[in-house]
Amino acid sequence: MKAVGFFQNHPLSHPEALVDVEVAEPEPGPDDLLVEVRAVSVNPVDTKVRMGGTVPPGAPRIAGWDAAGVVLSVGARVQGFAPGDEVFYAGAIDRPGSNAQRQAVDARIVGHKPASLSFADAAALPLTSITAWELLFDRLGVAPGGGAGQRLLVVGGAGGVGSMLVQIARRFTALTVISTASRPETVEWVTRLGAHHVVDHRRPLAEELARIGADGVHLVASLTQTEQHFPALVAALRPQGRLALIDDPKQPLDIRALKGKSLSLHWELMFTRPMYQTDDIAEQGRLLERVAQAIDDRRLVGTRTRHFGTLGAATLRQAHAWIESGQAIGKGVLDGLPG
């Protein structure tokens, strides 16, 4: 089948950073769905794996961790899905990805596609929705509907994960949501998604919080450049606050700074459940079903802002360049490979 992958780790400027390839058909297991991929989206993890992920000897690495498509077949132990179902999912980082015509994926981490969205718009949602949901409810420990009287600071609210976190926090909790943004277009974006307040991350955080009348925050979701903002975030957190992050700091964080206020640090990686086959792996599928229902009920909105055309090495290269620019707002998508 057709796919897009790479044989070695290269910067995007290299002519073989991404190439069109032919690979073997996937072999689904008893817990898997075989899915015809109709659309995919791009995330920072795609570019990180292209630059430094493992590559199987003599074979291409097929990346891509967001997809929407149609179920072709179901494994012997699968429940709740049938051929012909329209689905969306983020897959697993230790299995071949979605940048291919067909993909085998564990049914327990799959949800039925929102009926009100196209395949392309649905493909923009899974990875960021799972990350935002797990970060808010599992890592930061906010109860659904809870958080009254508390403030959540989202660093990087206009990015893919931030775009879902801002609206999930606004629609599913009683938190006061504060998002960082610095450009007029990003300020408008996070405001439209539901942020109560917007602060400029290029200015001193203490001054920005004082400007909106906030005497610190109780929770922080740091989604980008954590090493740059870490001292200011520690200073802004109120005693016994919680700090969660998803990025890969470029320098070590001195967590001793957390001790005086008894602050806690939490990592979120949405691949943990499928990678370790945790007992609660099916929570990701249930989570996506809730997101799909919220989309169809108009409690949540899609976050696709760019469409790069049909998947191929050339168009995927454009999408990776957009991610690497650091200027991306929301999500970028591509239609699936032609049959």
Side-chain angles (χ1 to χ4, degrees), residues 103-219:
Q103 183 180 14
V105 59
D106 192 316
R108 295 169 294 179
I109 61 173
V110 175
H112 290 86
K113 180 182 79 66
S116 59
L117 294 186
S118 66
F119 285 103
D121 284 342
L125 294 172
L127 186 147
T128 55
S129 296
I130 294 170
T131 301
W133 193 283
E134 290 184 347
L135 186 152
L136 185 61
F137 299 117
D138 297 338
R139 310 298 165 241
L140 290 176
V142 180
Q150 293 190 317
R151 290 180 288 272
L152 166 68
L153 174 65
V154 180
V155 180
V161 174
S163 295
M164 291 307 300
L165 180 57
V166 166
Q167 54 178 323
I168 289 172
R170 182 63 190 269
R171 306 288 180 257
F172 290 90
T173 77
L175 292 164
T176 296
V177 182
I178 305 168
S179 175
T180 70
S182 61
R183 293 176 282 151
E185 58 269 32
T186 54
V187 171
E188 189 277 333
W189 176 256
V190 297
T191 300
R192 181 157 58 88
L193 292 177
H196 292 94
H197 305 283
V198 183
V199 296
D200 189 341
H201 54 257
R202 296 178 301 184
R203 297 178 56 82
L205 180 58
E207 293 179 8
E208 285 291 281
L209 292 176
R211 176 177 60 80
I212 63 171
D215 59 340
V217 297
H218 305 80
L219 306 167

Side-chain angles (χ1 to χ4, degrees), residues 139-140 150-151 205 215-220 229-245 254-267:
R139 310 298 165 241
L140 290 176
Q150 293 190 317
R151 290 180 288 272
L205 180 58
D215 59 340
V217 297
H218 305 80
L219 306 167
V220 170
H229 301 294
F230 187 68
L233 298 178
V234 172
L237 276 162
R238 300 188 65 173
Q240 302 181 84
R242 294 186 173 200
L243 167 63
L245 58 150
D254 186 357
I255 62 172
R256 293 174 298 180
L258 307 178
K259 183 177 181 180
K261 293 182 180 178
S262 295
L263 304 177
S264 57
L265 178 67
H266 306 263
W267 283 95

Side-chain angles (χ1 to χ4, degrees), residues 16-86:
E16 296 183 356
L18 292 164
V19 293
D20 296 307
V21 295
E22 290 278 342
V23 296
E25 294 278 343
E27 298 182 4
D31 293 310
D32 288 344
L33 303 176
L34 179 63
V35 177
E36 178 186 87
V37 178
R38 296 287 184 86
V40 301
S41 75
V42 289
N43 296 280
V45 64
D46 298 56
T47 67
K48 292 175 184 177
V49 169
R50 192 202 77 240
M51 287 288 290
T54 58
V55 181
R61 175 76 185 267
I62 308 302
W65 289 282
D66 260 332
V70 177
V71 175
L72 297 176
S73 65
V74 302
R77 292 199 294 256
V78 171
Q79 297 181 344
F81 294 96
D85 285 354
E86 297 180 352

